[in-house]
Amino acid sequence: MRQILFAGAIGLFLTLVGTPLLIKLLARKGYGQFIRDDGPRGHAGKKGTPTMGGIAFILATLIAYAATKVITSEDPTFSGLLVLFLTAGMGLVGFLDDYIKIVKQRSLGLRAKAKMAGQLIVGIAFAVLALQFADKRGNTPASTKLSFITDFGWSIGPVLFVIWALFMILAMSNGVNLTDGLDGLATGASVMVFGAYTFIGLWQFQESCANAQTLTNPNACFEVRDPLDLAVVASALMGSCFGFLWWNTSPAKIFMGDTGSLALGGALAGLAICSRTEFLIALLGGLFVMITMSVVIQVGSFKMTGKRVFRMAPLQHHFELKGWSEVLVVVRFWIIQGMCVIVGLGLFYAGWAADK
């Protein structure tokens, strides 16, 4: 429990104090946001706002995790390190994308093939490594079985697992990226999901099959390799994003950029895979799914019928064009995300209680 508190508090402090320093550095170098001409007109005033702010909470998370291990004299785990690797790796791909946007002043950044190649390299490395490093009970950070509350069904094998893991990583990364269109929207929503995974990791640790002898019902335990350390990582991410939100909320002094959105998506996918809650993330991160589906529906409808379902996609811009203020859209979408987290945690607990 001390590790969770330390990680969250250190991450929060670092981004609260460090983000203003990053803002000054980026502003001095002229690394400002490039605004697309086809976006909502109200966003034109955001041009030039420092971007690549994801650097702040990525570094804060890594430092918070390392400092926590030093303070508590606890060893890092393979599960925790792999999630951090996925977070930082996806963040690096996003950083290259942001850097090209700024230097070459083009809104598309990395070429699609190059961006996809970077995501695939990081994702495949994570997926392959996640099936290694078995503990004394034979548990690896990830499982080749599909999961909702826990693993279920037969093993899909290592090859299909890698493909499945890549799908999750790409889906969550692009989902957060699409959500990151309004001040504080993606950051605040991510804080809620990381809070949920902090709770899930702590609960799985308390009800771990490794402690079966002390449990009331050993049949209702969780077979997860490093649940407590996953909670530590989630707490570090939650605290770091919370501190960043202070500067990212409307009117934003800094944007996370693809550096941040790809990193957060990778972190969410990594936590879901390593905590054996792969399908549950679709509910816990319901806002990201909803916004992604709005784009799929918009594109599909236009290609098939020539008509658009929404005034603009992603969904948050549709409501902006309907006359909602940016703050109103963000707060209401946060409420939707909060309800998704509550329902997701409710199902998580209900699934555990049903086995008892």
Side-chain angles (χ1 to χ4, degrees), residues 34-336:
F34 186 91
I35 302 297
R36 295 176 59 177
D37 296 332
D38 57 352
R41 293 181 181 177
H43 289 201
K46 299 182 180 184
K47 185 175 181 180
T49 301
T51 188
M52 295 193 294
I55 295 172
F57 56 74
I58 293 172
L59 290 178
T61 298
L62 297 176
I63 295 171
Y65 179 82
T68 296
K69 294 303 176 182
V70 172
I71 293 170
T72 60
S73 299
E74 297 287 345
D75 294 327
T77 67
F78 287 112
S79 298
L81 291 175
L82 279 172
V83 174
L84 292 174
F85 162 76
L86 182 58
T87 303
M90 295 299 286
L92 177 59
V93 175
F95 172 80
L96 294 174
D97 190 40
D98 286 333
Y99 187 77
I100 291 174
K101 287 178 187 176
I102 294 167
V103 172
K104 296 193 174 181
Q105 286 294 293
R106 71 176 194 230
S107 61
L108 296 179
L110 277 174
R111 301 297 181 188
K113 289 183 179 178
K115 189 173 182 179
M116 179 61 71
Q119 291 176 302
L120 288 176
I121 290 170
V122 175
I124 291 172
F126 166 82
V128 171
L129 291 172
L131 294 179
Q132 314 303 317
F133 313 113
D135 62 8
K136 294 178 181 179
R137 296 179 58 82
N139 290 321
T140 52
S143 168
T144 55
K145 292 183 178 181
L146 299 178
S147 59
F148 181 57
I149 305 300
T150 56
D151 288 342
F152 65 84
W154 294 284
S155 168
I156 61 175
V159 176
L160 286 180
F161 166 77
V162 171
I163 296 173
W164 169 240
L166 280 175
F167 170 77
M168 287 190 62
I169 293 166
L170 293 174
M172 289 309 302
S173 294
N174 290 309
V176 178
N177 186 252
L178 290 171
T179 305
D180 182 34
L182 301 181
D183 295 354
L185 179 58
T187 310
S190 297
V191 166
M192 297 182 205
V193 187
F194 289 135
Y197 271 109
T198 302
F199 171 82
I200 287 172
L202 183 58
W203 191 269
Q204 288 178 332
F205 173 71
Q206 293 175 339
E207 300 295 329
S208 172
C209 294
N211 305 323
Q213 294 180 348
T214 61
L215 297 179
T216 337
N217 183 4
N219 295 324
C221 63
F222 294 97
E223 200 68 83
V224 177
R225 191 191 191 285
D226 306 298
L228 182 60
D229 212 38
L230 292 175
V232 173
V233 172
S235 178
L237 284 160
M238 177 179 64
S240 299
C241 287
F242 217 163
F244 180 76
L245 183 60
W246 181 271
W247 305 103
N248 182 233
T249 194
S250 184
K253 301 293 188 296
I254 187 171
F255 299 136
M256 69 169 69
D258 281 10
T259 306
S261 60
L262 295 188
L264 292 182
L268 291 172
L271 287 170
I273 292 169
C274 292
S275 65
R276 316 292 170 87
T277 55
E278 294 162 358
F279 284 104
L280 186 63
I281 188 61
L283 185 52
L284 290 173
L287 180 66
F288 304 126
V289 175
M290 181 179 74
I291 288 176
T292 302
M293 289 308 300
S294 73
V295 176
V296 173
I297 292 169
Q298 183 85 326
V299 173
S301 174
F302 187 76
K303 285 186 175 181
M304 289 188 291
T305 68
K307 297 180 180 179
R308 293 180 172 86
V309 177
F310 308 105
R311 296 187 180 185
M312 182 179 288
L315 188 61
Q316 62 269 32
H317 300 318
H318 167 78
F319 289 102
E320 277 192 291
L321 294 183
K322 286 191 69 174
W324 292 19
S325 69
E326 181 173 0
V327 173
L328 181 62
V329 176
V330 170
V331 172
R332 286 182 173 173
F333 274 38
W334 279 352
I335 292 171
I336 292 172

